[in-house]
Amino acid sequence: MRTRISLLGSIAALVCLTVAVSHAQQGAGRGQQAPAAPGGRGAGRAPTAPPPINWPSPALPDGPIVLDTAIQHQLQLVVTKGLNQPWSMAFLPGGEILVTERPGRLRIVRNGVLDPVPVKGLPAVQAAGLAGLMDIALHPRFAENKLVYLTYHKPAAGAAPAPGPGGTPGMITLARARWDGAALVEWQDLFSALPSGNASRIAFGKDGMVYMTVGYGDTPVGNPDPAGAPPQDRMSLAGKVLRLKDDGTVPPDNPFVGRTSSRPEIFTLGHRNMLGLAVHPDTGAVFESENGPNGGDEINVLQAGKNYGWPVVNYGRFYLGPRVNNHAWQEGMEDPLVFWVPASATSGLTFYTGDRFPQWKGNVFAGGMRQGEVPRSGHLERIDFNEKWEELHRESMFWELRQRIRDVRQGPDGLLYVLTAENEGALIRMEPAAGPGKTQ
Amino acid sequence: MRTRISLLGSIAALVCLTVAVSHAQQGAGRGQQAPAAPGGRGAGRAPTAPPPINWPSPALPDGPIVLDTAIQHQLQLVVTKGLNQPWSMAFLPGGEILVTERPGRLRIVRNGVLDPVPVKGLPAVQAAGLAGLMDIALHPRFAENKLVYLTYHKPAAGAAPAPGPGGTPGMITLARARWDGAALVEWQDLFSALPSGNASRIAFGKDGMVYMTVGYGDTPVGNPDPAGAPPQDRMSLAGKVLRLKDDGTVPPDNPFVGRTSSRPEIFTLGHRNMLGLAVHPDTGAVFESENGPNGGDEINVLQAGKNYGWPVVNYGRFYLGPRVNNHAWQEGMEDPLVFWVPASATSGLTFYTGDRFPQWKGNVFAGGMRQGEVPRSGHLERIDFNEKWEELHRESMFWELRQRIRDVRQGPDGLLYVLTAENEGALIRMEPAAGPGKTQ
């Protein structure tokens, strides 16, 4: 059955039939327990999914779902369910998609079908709080070397992984392994940054280097000494984007190599919790997105050695009310390319450069864990720029689905792929809709 | 039939059934022609509704509609349809509600029922572009003097009202008339500011003065000399909030009275197009809301003689991409209390001080003509502040209804009333929902 959610751009007599379940029933019914994970280096310890972070989302229809959009008109969404808090994805040359699940599993989707058996070969993962298994990226020469790069929170040495929101943070770690066609083998931890509950994205630059984000949290009332906070401290890796060689060592042309009181891994500083990282396939520009506190989410264009301001300047507010800074810019700090007030809880980031959605060519897509106000619905945001990379429009999509969006990527087929962040999560393939009303 | 739109805060299997009408059919079917207006000083000339401004919205259900919200849990919406681009409302002591319609009609709603016959006694109105019949407010001593104040765009002397988006702007005019129990009589134009296509809100201060907004537009590329633009020019009334006595003359304690190169009517300067104005019923503080260009919508707290920055500083962008100003604040200009990036197209504004929604007490409500990104859905926004009037949370409501929201007011009954901006517009009364799930 094709579910038509044709709300937009049409005159619609809208009747929403909902099957509501009371709040009391939600806890029990929302997949708080992750399925046991088989095999791999973590074998015998079932990765445990942390509880859901925000609000319970309604179940997605099975799809395909038809959605209208502003300029592309009609989309068909093909939904692959059965993922538990999926976080990132990578496209194998044969068409399979590898999907990380935050509790510590790697899954494989073939032609829209999820293999029920997780991929073997992963280590124990500290899936506490917001942490867990994070990003995945193929080496630029994957065709030859079959190397897959991942980031994850590694349990402290000797300690069992602490499940649940109160667990000890694991070490944010960059690792690589070889894909043998069915499993990861020869897992190798390359670089551990620091113990942290924050996210870590990775992307390979056109320079062949690994860009790795190491997020930083803060307190609801802010920091009494913003200029002395870890993201401003070049001796700390917190709140930084790192630049590493593909073996995890420091490239000699990093901006702070040989500088005093500086970690040589640092590429940029002054970041908060980064949930998006993308390299423009034509220009090689590295775009990064991060969550502000209450407002002040940002997309930044990274330049070696620059300071992106957190927590000295930001457009948002601390959770108890005060502005982070009354004047959201100061000399020596970079203004964001895009910012959000109120927050969108921006997440995965990609450039659209394909041919399947011609009117979206050159646009940036950003996931969102909320819809702009009190957390009620995530969305997928399309941002259109002029030739100077000045923002022209933003379009919010997927809000009808009321799912948190964790990641968005362009596939090698020129389609867009989206991951929801839910316990009952899904991979969504976006296609131009066939049939009446299609504009392609 | 009670339509349940219970999307929020519940696990819902969501099936939206839509009756879609193709784009080709929309123009013909969307009430582009206003009904003829009877009687009054404009008698014989039917006010003509300008075409819809943005996108076609789906028809509202007849209601009552049940909606969930974040902290108040469940609302029942009672819908009064049949209004054509309603703009503002005033509550008569007997319980009736007077509603202005932008094409130039005044309507009356009794116990949720719209009188099919418009109120008599209005003059010709220049309902071109965004202009027309605007705000309505009762005199603070209405019980004695029965005076009703209105703002409207008055056709140029001798000219017939020019309908349609390309019409000559009328003069933004403050008028008053006496309510004789069934009609307006003794209509009197008190003050005409300037010819303009922008909005005009009015509110009576606790000081007994009339605060009147006079909006200012701009070009897509901005102004090459922002500091010399009309909103910064104290000899122009454009982009200003005026303060007038109830007879339309200038109070001697206005901030620029007796100052050179200044219009004495000015209370504050540096505004763009103002669509909201509200006086706090306890403190008397005058809050004003205005639309930025692409982003940069604001709520400001007005203080005599202060400069709110437009178009010198703002958080938004001109429509072709450039930021209005890279640094959204400068010495001598007031930062907004609240701002939006991307735009919400903020509209009507009110304080909630009633007892029917205890958890909303002290909150500000702001209408929105869009949902934060590309214009697809308006919304009603609830903003919660701490004791220092620093923002804590924003909640977006009504987005399921996909109606532009033009105005929101607290009624004397402690309920909230909302006007949609649609050609097939409605007055919506928000009540705590009865029945299962209610939290009141």
Side-chain angles (χ1 to χ4, degrees), chain B residues 154-314:
Chain B
K154 181 178 181 167
T168 316
M171 294 290 287
I172 293 190
T173 297
L174 173 69
R176 73 177 171 193
R178 197 166 56 77
W179 176 247
D180 75 356
L184 293 181
V185 295
E186 302 160 23
W187 184 282
Q188 186 185 6
D189 289 335
L190 297 179
F191 180 80
S192 280
L194 43 76
S196 168
N198 289 286
S200 181
R201 285 273 180 199
I202 44 171
F204 278 92
K206 294 200 97 171
D207 55 5
M209 298 297 144
V210 181
Y211 292 82
M212 174 181 176
T213 76
V214 182
Y216 173 74
D218 51 54
T219 67
V221 290
N223 191 314
D225 173 26
Q232 294 292 320
D233 174 5
R234 296 203 311 233
M235 285 300 287
S236 165
L237 297 181
K240 307 295 190 307
V241 179
L242 314 182
R243 181 173 177 264
L244 301 170
K245 294 208 282 193
D246 64 0
D247 62 359
T249 63
V250 174
D253 58 346
N254 264 6
F256 301 115
V257 166
R259 303 271 290 272
T260 54
S261 305
S262 299
R263 290 286 301 255
E265 299 90 347
I266 296 173
F267 185 66
T268 55
L269 61 152
H271 299 286
R272 199 166 173 276
N273 199 11
M274 292 160 274
L275 293 178
L277 187 68
V279 175
H280 195 288
D282 301 328
T283 68
V286 184
F287 281 45
E288 164 271 329
S289 64
E290 63 190 76
N291 280 224
N294 182 5
D297 294 14
E298 300 179 347
I299 297 178
N300 295 297
V301 185
L302 302 185
Q303 293 182 276
K306 299 274 183 164
N307 185 340
Y308 291 82
W310 183 257
V312 179
V313 289
N314 181 268

Side-chain angles (χ1 to χ4, degrees), chain A residues 7 9 23 70 374 376 394 402, chain B residues 7 9 70 374 376 394 402:
Chain A
L7 296 177
H23 279 80
V374 167
R376 283 311 196 155
R394 303 186 201 181
R402 304 196 49 250
Chain B
L7 296 176
V374 167
R376 284 310 196 157
R394 303 185 201 181
R402 305 197 50 250

Side-chain angles (χ1 to χ4, degrees), chain A residues 210-333:
Chain A
V210 181
Y211 293 81
M212 174 181 176
T213 76
V214 182
Y216 173 74
D218 50 53
T219 66
V221 291
N223 191 313
D225 173 26
Q232 294 293 322
D233 174 5
R234 297 204 311 233
M235 286 300 286
S236 164
L237 296 181
K240 306 296 190 307
V241 179
L242 314 183
R243 181 172 177 265
L244 301 170
K245 295 207 281 192
D246 65 0
D247 61 0
T249 62
V250 174
D253 58 345
N254 264 8
F256 300 117
V257 166
R259 302 272 291 274
T260 54
S261 306
S262 299
R263 290 285 302 254
E265 299 90 347
I266 297 174
F267 184 66
T268 55
L269 61 152
H271 299 286
R272 199 167 172 276
N273 199 11
M274 292 161 274
L275 293 178
L277 187 69
V279 175
H280 195 287
D282 301 328
T283 68
V286 184
F287 281 44
E288 163 273 329
S289 64
E290 62 189 76
N291 280 223
N294 183 4
D297 295 13
E298 301 180 347
I299 297 178
N300 295 297
V301 186
L302 301 185
Q303 294 182 275
K306 299 274 184 167
N307 184 341
Y308 291 80
W310 182 259
V312 178
V313 288
N314 182 268
Y315 288 90
R317 293 181 174 276
F318 291 113
Y319 296 108
L320 296 182
R323 287 279 295 268
V324 171
N325 186 298
N326 283 332
H327 315 310
W329 175 86
Q330 76 176 45
E331 201 68 50
M333 298 191 180

Side-chain angles (χ1 to χ4, degrees), chain A residues 7 9 11-12 15-17 19 23 26 58 70 294 320 327 329 341-342 373-374 376 381 386 392 394 396 402, chain B residues 7 9 11-12 15-17 19 23 26 58 69-70 294 320 327 329 341-342 373-374 376 381 386 392 394 396 402:
Chain A
L7 296 177
I11 305 165
V15 183
C16 288
L17 308 175
V19 180
H23 279 80
Q26 291 168 7
N294 183 4
L320 296 182
H327 315 310
W329 175 86
V341 175
E373 280 93 16
V374 167
R376 283 311 196 155
E381 197 152 328
N386 67 17
L392 292 175
R394 303 186 201 181
S396 175
R402 304 196 49 250
Chain B
L7 296 176
I11 305 165
V15 183
C16 287
L17 307 176
V19 180
H23 278 80
Q26 291 168 6
T69 67
N294 182 5
L320 296 182
H327 315 309
W329 176 88
V341 175
E373 280 93 15
V374 167
R376 284 310 196 157
E381 197 152 327
N386 67 18
L392 292 175
R394 303 185 201 181
S396 175
R402 305 197 50 250

